[in-house]
Amino acid sequence: MWLVRGYAGVSLVLTIWAYLSPFLRRIRSLASSLPILLILQFLTIHLKSPLPLGVVHPLTGFLLFSTSTTLVHRAFQVAFPQADTALAAKS
């Protein structure tokens, strides 16, 4: 539970940081989607409704993972453009 709360705090800080710094629009949209996906993750597991919302929980988990890894990859490309080309040259 503390992991989820910590990740939620980090995602909010990351979103604010992405809008205060001169990042690309793609990075800003990925950063701002993390808190939204975390809210959906929380709602799908904790809301009691006649609809089976718990089925969507693994899907939002996968979307969180995919969005996080894409965000890290894009931010790494922006922060270290020469390192990205050096890694591609080694392959």
Side-chain angles (χ1 to χ4, degrees):
M1 187 154 190
W2 287 104
L3 177 67
V4 175
R5 289 181 182 170
Y7 191 69
V10 168
S11 72
L12 290 174
V13 169
L14 185 64
T15 302
I16 293 168
W17 185 32
Y19 279 96
L20 292 178
S21 300
F23 282 110
L24 300 174
R25 188 175 3 152
R26 179 73 175 158
I27 291 176
R28 287 181 180 169
S29 65
L30 286 169
S32 61
S33 67
L34 289 177
I36 294 168
L37 287 171
L38 280 168
I39 289 169
L40 285 173
Q41 185 80 346
F42 178 79
L43 290 176
T44 57
I45 203 66
H46 289 292
L47 282 182
K48 304 293 183 215
S49 71
L51 298 172
L53 292 178
V55 176
V56 182
H57 187 76
L59 176 64
T60 55
F62 174 75
L63 288 174
L64 271 168
F65 174 75
S66 177
T67 304
S68 298
T69 55
T70 304
L71 178 60
V72 168
H73 181 71
R74 298 281 177 134
F76 185 80
Q77 286 178 339
V78 169
F80 306 105
Q82 70 279 4
D84 194 38
T85 55
L87 287 175
K90 287 183 180 180
S91 320

